[in-house]
Amino acid sequence: EMEYTKMEMKIEQAKLWREDVEDIVSLTEKKMDNYLLTNTFFALGTVLLWTEGRLETGTPHWMLWIYVITLASAFVFMLTSVFFALHASISAQAFMVRVLTQFARLPIPSSEDIDRARTYGQAFEGQRFGHMFRVPFFGSRRV
């Protein structure tokens, strides 16, 4: 019975490790989803400014070029941040799968563990006659 308890504790510990990994990855995914949504809206805002945001007539050409370059660099920055947010979310998911399948696996008992947990017919035959016919899990545990 002690072997079963030890194995149950190992399984519970492995489950807790797996849950911790899933929690950490889900935090990363949620944060990247927020970045993705926010930066997509910002990228759309730069596109709207580029198409709809006209400068007044008579604006110097150098100011027009600064405006266009600023909007283009903001759009590229937002597009890059969207790419990195997607990449981070996918990488975190792949990392979680790798950790859960390779490192935080549920423990499988070895053949020695199974040998220690099993009983033999000789142990049953060596008991007293009255103890052989007892109701399991009730009464005294003396052999």
Side-chain angles (χ1 to χ4, degrees):
E1 187 173 311
M2 186 171 158
E3 296 298 324
Y4 292 126
T5 305
K6 282 174 33 180
M7 185 52 73
E8 286 175 1
M9 291 174 75
K10 286 181 184 178
I11 290 172
E12 192 63 34
Q13 184 181 31
K15 285 180 183 177
L16 289 173
W17 287 340
R18 294 172 68 87
E19 186 179 319
D20 289 344
V21 170
E22 289 171 357
D23 288 344
I24 290 171
V25 170
S26 70
L27 285 174
T28 303
E29 286 178 340
K30 287 177 186 174
K31 185 182 276 191
M32 291 305 116
D33 288 344
N34 289 339
Y35 284 148
L36 182 65
L37 183 66
T38 305
N39 291 336
T40 302
F41 284 137
F42 283 151
L44 289 175
T46 57
V47 169
L48 285 175
L49 279 175
W50 206 349
T51 57
E52 302 289 330
R54 304 270 186 235
L55 294 178
E56 292 183 15
T57 313
T59 305
H61 286 289
W62 61 269
M63 189 175 287
L64 179 66
W65 280 108
I66 290 175
Y67 177 72
V68 169
I69 290 172
T70 304
L71 284 177
S73 62
F75 179 75
V76 168
F77 177 75
M78 293 302 154
L79 200 62
T80 306
S81 67
V82 165
F83 169 76
F84 283 138
L86 281 172
H87 186 271
S89 184
I90 292 169
S91 296
Q93 186 71 27
F95 174 74
M96 181 184 75
V97 169
R98 181 170 180 232
V99 167
L100 292 181
T101 57
Q102 293 180 0
F103 301 114
R105 297 182 66 100
L106 290 176
I108 298 172
S110 65
S111 44
E112 292 86 20
D113 294 335
I114 294 173
D115 284 340
R116 283 194 303 264
R118 71 178 179 181
T119 58
Y120 294 97
Q122 290 174 338
F124 179 75
E125 292 171 358
Q127 294 178 356
R128 294 189 315 253
F129 184 72
H131 195 73
M132 287 182 190
F133 296 106
R134 69 177 175 81
V135 178
F137 306 110
F138 292 106
S140 69
R141 297 184 51 116
R142 290 178 281 148
V143 176

